Amino acid sequence: MSDSPTAPSSSSVPPPADRAGALPRRVAVTGAHGKLGRAVVTHLRAIGLDVLAIDRDPAGDPRDVPGEFVVADLTDYGQVVEAFGGGVDEHDAVDAVVHLAAIPAPGMTTNAATFANNSAATYNVFAAARALGITTLVWASSETVLGLPFDTPPPYAPVDEEYAPRPESTYSLNKALEEDLARHFCRWQPALVAVGLRFSNVMDVEDYAQFPSFDADPQLRRWNLWGYIDARDGAQAVEKALAHDVPGADVFVIANADTVMSRSSASLMAEVYPDVPLTKELGEHETLLGIDKARRVLGYEPRHSWRDHVG
Ligand SMILES: NC(=O)c1ccc[n+]([C@@H]2O[C@H](COP(=O)([O-])OP(=O)(O)OC[C@H]3O[C@@H](n4cnc5c(N)ncnc54)[C@H](O)[C@@H]3O)[C@@H](O)[C@H]2O)c1
């Protein structure tokens, strides 16, 4: 099977020798005040990266926030160029971008407002990176492009990156278009490494207390095949993606290694999706959002499980 439409477009271009597998020095993280953004900023700073946190939500006086932070609205191209390029007083230019800012789900505001914010923000981030010569770009795609909420069953399970996006909402449509956008920006700028992380449903440790309640009804979390991503493992995936050194656009499903359920993954599929073929023998609680590609290509390996926090 061929890869998704965002498969590497210029794999013949060798990575710059001075960056092979190495992390960038200074990174902008957009959406820094969000659920995932907070974990990513904390993680990248903990491993020694110089992080410029960016969000349109000031969450207080940015001068009081520990660590470097700039308020910017990414739907304004000028603000993005200024923020990434060292144009804002007291904030130097960055050499990599992690773009997480978005309205993060369908139905939070009108479809048109979701599309307008998310598409403009992502276009501006990609275009500003190009204008500034930034060649390391990691952005948040979404599990939704796999066909959530799976009212139409998936073609097989575990789902993976091998079939074309199946957006079922405006939010997801925009994420699918962003994957195309990345592919074309890579065509225009052959040195660009653009990694899209199709995150599952982001969870903080506090969220795990509700997990046992999911067991009563397998339909409750059917919509994403009972998947989740611990925000700290999401941050680890961002770190791995920043070290990826193969020019071109590529996408990866990022989930935890297990499901949110106590029952076996095989029994869930047999009850809820009896006609969906399984492509492998499943471990007891093995994720149905396939992370084999992320493991193989990025070296991503989830370190956390809700089972370590509840019970
Ligand atoms: N939360 C999930 O379950 C989930 C799942 C898959 C993918 N994602 C994606 O991961 C990313 C982060 O999600 P999250 O859960 O942390 O969301 P969040 O809402 O907690 O954080 C998003 C942040 O982006 C900021 N933002 C939005 N539009 C902006 C703009 N125009 N300019 C500047 N800042 C802007 C918001 O102020 C907010 O702080 C998003 O791209 C989302 O689509 C999230």
Side-chain angles (χ1 to χ4, degrees):
M1 264 182 288
S2 67
D3 211 327
S4 71
T6 46
S9 58
S10 44
S11 52
S12 57
V13 180
D18 62 351
R19 102 163 178 201
L23 285 167
R25 187 189 61 82
R26 183 164 161 78
V27 183
V29 177
T30 76
H33 278 170
K35 190 169 190 177
L36 189 56
R38 288 192 300 270
V40 168
V41 169
T42 302
H43 178 79
L44 296 183
R45 284 185 175 148
I47 61 168
L49 299 196
D50 191 5
V51 175
L52 171 60
I54 299 173
D55 204 296
R56 71 178 168 192
D57 167 18
D61 184 336
R63 292 167 301 185
D64 298 334
V65 174
E68 204 183 338
F69 175 63
V70 165
V71 174
D73 184 343
L74 303 175
T75 62
D76 178 340
Y77 179 68
Q79 292 187 39
V80 185
V81 171
E82 248 193 77
F84 292 174
V88 180
D89 291 344
E90 302 184 12
H91 300 285
D92 292 340
V94 299
D95 42 43
V97 172
V98 175
H99 172 48
L100 307 175
I103 293 164
M108 295 179 70
T109 178
T110 64
N111 294 350
T114 300
F115 191 86
N117 183 72
N118 293 0
S119 61
T122 299
Y123 170 79
N124 288 342
V125 165
F126 287 12
R130 179 176 184 227
L132 294 166
I134 295 168
T135 56
T136 302
L137 187 54
V138 175
W139 87 98
S141 184
S142 160
E143 63 180 357
T144 58
V145 302
L146 296 163
L148 275 61
F150 294 123
D151 292 340
T152 301
Y156 53 83
V159 291
D160 61 14
E161 303 83 354
E162 296 293 323
Y163 63 96
R166 297 177 167 192
E168 301 288 359
S169 64
T170 298
Y171 164 80
S172 185
L173 176 64
N174 185 69
K175 292 292 189 188
L177 293 174
E178 288 176 6
E179 294 186 356
D180 268 345
L181 205 64
R183 186 165 57 86
H184 293 299
F185 271 86
C186 286
R187 194 165 52 76
W188 292 345
Q189 190 184 9
L192 178 61
V193 181
V195 181
L197 301 175
R198 292 175 170 181
F199 290 110
S200 183
N201 195 194
V202 178
M203 298 288 170
D204 286 326
V205 169
E206 307 84 81
D207 296 320
Y208 291 145
Q210 64 178 319
F211 275 36
S213 69
F214 300 151
D215 277 339
D217 181 1
Q219 300 291 339
L220 269 181
R221 304 284 302 186
R222 173 205 81 155
W223 54 270
N224 76 341
L225 298 184
W226 308 278
Y228 73 108
I229 178 70
D230 183 296
R232 297 163 299 179
D233 281 323
Q236 181 216 149
V238 168
E239 176 197 338
K240 300 291 186 190
L242 282 169
H244 187 59
D245 58 13
V246 180
D250 209 350
V251 294
F252 300 89
V253 176
I254 301 296
N256 275 78
D258 60 348
T259 69
V260 301
M261 302 291 274
S262 302
R263 307 172 41 171
S264 75
S265 302
S267 79
L268 288 163
M269 288 303 294
E271 179 178 336
V272 180
Y273 290 113
D275 299 328
V276 172
L278 299 178
T279 55
K280 65 194 287 198
E281 194 172 327
L282 296 169
E284 176 75 1
H285 300 298
E286 183 168 339
T287 178
L288 295 155
L289 302 174
I291 53 173
D292 289 349
K293 182 180 173 189
R295 282 182 159 129
R296 189 177 70 248
V297 178
L298 298 179
Y300 165 70
E301 189 57 56
R303 297 182 186 131
H304 302 281
S305 166
W306 69 274
R307 289 165 225 274
D308 300 332
H309 298 275
V310 178

